[in-house]
Amino acid sequence: HRELQKVDPVAAGKIPSKNRQRIIRALEVFQVTGKPISEFWGEGRGDSRIAPALKIGLTLPRDELNRRIDERIDRMIGQGWIEETGLLLKKWGDEAPGLRLIGYKEIVDHLQGKISQKIAIDLIKTHTHQYAKRQLTWFKRDSEIRWLTPEQEEEKS
């Protein structure tokens, strides 16, 4: 965080000192581009050179969204997600950050004999439904988002 303060005091002021992942990302951006990450933040953060973005959100009734989530998870399981996770677990161990994400965490628990495959799949679906609800709650606070359903066509201007 001290290094970030030297190269980008704006970002350092907004990124908590304990958020290691964001600090590293900000330092990587500076190292690769030679510019502070805060210069890329654009509108609303003091940089008028970047045009505002059109924000579009897609929404579905909750039961339809959950049905689609469940179908996608079932497809992923059918296409070898459990086997893939087993290979990743063997290569990287259960402390790999990617194996702590929704879905992988539950499959790791199954592969380690902590829960059955059915329970793992049910938990993946439940946790993904919960995550989708949290995302929607988060994005609903942004009054600039124009919400559409997949069936709606963009209005002709």
Side-chain angles (χ1 to χ4, degrees):
H1 200 261
R2 284 190 296 273
E3 184 65 29
L4 182 59
Q5 287 173 328
K6 292 176 192 171
V7 299
D8 191 351
V10 173
K14 293 182 187 264
I15 299 173
S17 61
K18 293 186 182 204
N19 192 332
R20 185 181 167 139
Q21 191 167 349
R22 288 189 63 205
I23 293 168
I24 290 170
R25 176 67 179 139
L27 290 170
E28 288 172 342
V29 167
F30 181 76
Q31 185 177 18
V32 170
T33 68
K35 296 179 182 180
I37 196 169
S38 60
E39 284 191 22
F40 296 94
W41 286 347
E43 187 185 286
R45 296 194 176 125
D47 188 344
S48 60
R49 297 174 295 158
I50 300 174
L54 172 63
K55 298 178 182 180
I56 297 174
L58 295 177
T59 187
L60 288 169
R62 178 74 41 83
D63 59 340
E64 174 66 10
L65 177 61
N66 287 342
R67 184 187 66 73
R68 289 184 184 199
I69 288 170
D70 292 350
E71 285 179 359
R72 182 167 186 263
I73 289 167
D74 290 339
R75 271 195 318 276
M76 292 169 69
I77 294 293
Q79 293 172 347
W81 193 8
I82 293 172
E83 295 78 9
E84 171 198 352
T85 303
L87 294 172
L88 294 171
L89 182 60
K90 201 177 279 188
K91 182 172 184 176
W92 301 105
D94 61 2
E95 292 300 313
L99 293 179
R100 290 188 231 139
L101 300 172
I102 294 173
Y104 287 97
K105 178 187 178 310
E106 295 81 357
I107 294 173
V108 166
D109 285 347
H110 162 62
L111 293 172
Q112 292 177 336
K114 296 175 185 173
I115 57 176
S116 70
Q117 181 173 319
K118 180 183 179 345
I119 291 173
I121 293 169
D122 289 345
L123 285 172
I124 293 168
K125 290 176 181 180
T126 297
H127 294 156
T128 306
H129 297 166
Q130 292 167 341
Y131 184 65
K133 185 177 186 294
R134 284 194 306 273
Q135 285 181 317
L136 187 57
T137 299
W138 172 265
F139 285 114
K140 290 270 183 174
R141 293 187 289 181
D142 188 339
S143 61
E144 295 178 359
I145 295 177
R146 179 168 177 201
W147 290 97
L148 302 172
T149 62
E151 294 80 26
Q152 285 177 300
E153 288 188 35
E154 185 66 26
E155 296 173 8
K156 311 245 189 250
S157 26

